[in-house]
Amino acid sequence: MNTLTELRSTAPWLVHVSTDIVVFGIGHDGLRVLLRRHPPRAGADAPWALPGGYVGPVEHLDRSAEHTLAQQTGVDNVYLEQLYTFGRPDRHPASRVITVAYYALMPPRRVEEINARPTPEVRWYPIDRMPDLYLDHAEIVALGRRRLEAKLEYSTIAFQLLPTEFTLSELQRVYEIILYEKLDKRNFRKRILALDCIEDTGRKRRDGSHRPAGLYRYKSPGKVHYLK
Amino acid sequence: MNTLTELRSTAPWLVHVSTDIVVFGIGHDGLRVLLRRHPPRAGADAPWALPGGYVGPVEHLDRSAEHTLAQQTGVDNVYLEQLYTFGRPDRHPASRVITVAYYALMPPRRVEEINARPTPEVRWYPIDRMPDLYLDHAEIVALGRRRLEAKLEYSTIAFQLLPTEFTLSELQRVYEIILYEKLDKRNFRKRILALDCIEDTGRKRRDGSHRPAGLYRYKSPGKVHYLK
DNA sequence: GCAAAAGTGTTGGAGATACACCCATGA
DNA sequence: TCATGGGTGTATCTCCAACACTTTTGC
């Protein structure tokens, strides 16, 4: 029995596979998710959806997510991680579509890039004020948020949401926004510095009528470490 | 533009989707994984593989995993959780096959059931002495093991590997096997009892020439809780 | 000089770790 | 009576939480 025969006899079914990406960013108003019209160019009554698309014939799943994201939002080279695979047989009305969900984190510069050239088809929404979403995309966002929240506690994932140089207050804000709670400044600083994963650049940022803040740099940009 | 047109134009590609399951059990010799010949009935030179099969046309992914497991090993009603989706385009030699990997945990009774009626096609292997596996299945097992190890620390997942009634020493053995380290008996007991998730049945098990051990019961059988 | 955010140390409590001996049983 | 695993308590340490005032700047 060769492999092809085996496939024929036990796997007559073919399905569509897509990737959908929950893109998180930090804005003035808190945690945001990037949404697009589905389908694009369908006008104002088309539902909002996650960026996403079908997986090509010889495309790695991760590449598909990256590629889709670049195509639909113009953004590449961000932190991207597989989230979960959703496969309810009735989740798509027209055909069987299984979706491999990812989530992405981008620094404020990227968030602003998208804001800077707004289109009617792609925009940021505050995560707690999103419109109704296409299919089960709200569920996917919710899962992504939970994962992000969990990872914050035992990894250095937060730095993916910050620019290369940042102040400790900015970092604390990221934690407070995602964890949804106020943190003590002194304890936070002690904890972060004890991780030994950031270093003082020696530079300062002047920013309003108050004392300038020290600028720090994450020691291993682009990499996420797991603690303990 | 209706949904079908949209599918046609942006998603001409169909792929095979399978589920593969890493079944863990505790044996005399430590952590074990259930393997089967691939394909079944192909004889002694067929490679060993994870239980798994193609997803049916209207089958939920989770159901597909459950169903496959029941069919290939005769075991149902075990703890099952999605692990990760593997989609390298060249992972299968004959066609594009994306696999949604799951892991399952079963109590010793189930482990013994399978041992009791051995077949040449399905058997347990100690996780550190597995043969070469089909395709990327070794990678899937490795990921499952890491996930299991991680979850042990922040959830009550260990109880899925034990019978309804168990001794504290048995529980400790599960932790030691998975964490790969010796634990202090007194500290372990204090920690577990502090979780307040097991109760003393009052009964004891006589078992060899030593003092009998108290039997405990997990308070929420089948359910996994997350700590903290 | 005042408003606004940056920066800084100490104390107390909870939970984890280290550690050694007696108990109940079967042979 | 001995070998085997079952069962128990205390002292210490580490980590986390609580908490308030001084500094530097722009206006």
Side-chain angles (χ1 to χ4, degrees), chain A residues 24-79:
Chain A
F24 289 113
I26 302 281
H28 332 283
D29 47 358
L31 190 60
R32 290 173 167 189
V33 178
L34 192 62
L35 299 178
R36 58 158 189 150
R37 291 283 186 192
H38 183 91
R41 270 172 277 283
D45 44 349
W48 289 97
L50 295 174
Y54 293 95
V55 174
V58 289
E59 201 178 30
H60 191 299
L61 288 172
D62 296 3
R63 290 288 157 287
S64 169
E66 272 175 37
H67 182 237
T68 300
L69 193 56
Q71 207 167 41
Q72 293 179 7
T73 69
V75 169
D76 60 355
N77 219 266
V78 294
Y79 178 80

Side-chain angles (χ1 to χ4, degrees), chain B residues 2-228:
Chain B
N2 68 33
T3 317
L4 208 56
T5 314
E6 176 217 336
L7 271 179
R8 286 253 171 67
S9 58
T10 62
W13 302 104
L14 289 160
V15 300
H16 298 279
V17 174
S18 65
T19 51
D20 287 306
I21 306 108
V22 188
V23 186
F24 289 112
I26 302 280
H28 332 284
D29 46 358
L31 189 60
R32 289 173 169 188
V33 178
L34 193 62
L35 300 179
R36 60 159 188 147
R37 291 284 185 189
H38 183 90
R41 271 173 276 285
D45 45 348
W48 288 98
L50 294 174
Y54 292 95
V55 174
V58 289
E59 201 178 31
H60 192 300
L61 288 173
D62 296 2
R63 290 287 157 288
S64 168
E66 272 176 36
H67 182 236
T68 301
L69 193 56
Q71 209 168 36
Q72 294 179 7
T73 69
V75 170
D76 60 355
N77 219 263
V78 293
Y79 178 79
L80 192 69
E81 183 185 313
Q82 190 181 302
L83 184 57
Y84 197 79
T85 300
F86 292 80
R88 278 217 333 272
D90 57 348
R91 61 177 293 280
H92 193 287
S95 68
R96 180 77 193 265
V97 182
I98 286 170
T99 196
V100 184
Y102 283 76
Y103 74 104
L105 305 179
M106 53 175 69
R109 196 175 59 82
R110 301 292 181 107
V111 177
E112 293 311 323
E113 273 172 28
I114 292 167
N115 269 339
R117 36 177 174 67
T119 73
E121 296 180 8
V122 174
R123 59 161 288 195
W124 292 100
Y125 271 97
I127 195 168
D128 48 8
R129 262 170 287 158
M130 290 188 305
D132 283 344
L133 297 189
Y134 183 62
L135 302 182
D136 53 3
H137 288 195
E139 193 186 339
I140 301 177
V141 172
L143 184 65
R145 195 190 193 296
R146 262 180 284 152
R147 179 90 126 246
L148 179 59
E149 190 170 341
K151 284 230 162 172
L152 211 59
E153 313 250 27
Y154 65 90
S155 80
T156 60
I157 205 170
F159 299 104
Q160 305 303 318
L161 287 163
L162 287 173
T164 333
E165 298 197 345
F166 52 86
T167 68
L168 290 178
S169 296
E170 285 171 335
L171 180 60
Q172 184 172 343
R173 183 163 172 265
V174 170
Y175 275 81
E176 290 180 338
I177 284 173
I178 297 172
L179 297 180
Y180 238 52
E181 71 181 313
K182 194 124 192 67
L183 301 175
D184 179 85
K185 208 200 313 187
R186 282 168 290 189
N187 293 336
F188 179 78
R189 283 165 188 241
K190 254 179 295 175
R191 184 160 63 88
I192 294 294
L193 293 172
L195 296 182
D196 191 38
C197 66
I198 63 175
E199 55 194 3
D200 195 333
T201 64
R203 302 173 47 212
K204 300 208 176 292
R205 173 187 301 158
R206 238 165 307 272
D207 173 36
S209 55
H210 52 83
R211 181 171 173 175
L215 284 168
Y216 289 77
R217 184 184 9 247
Y218 180 49
K219 283 183 180 174
S220 31
K223 275 195 196 155
V224 172
H225 296 129
Y226 295 87
L227 312 177
K228 203 183 221 185

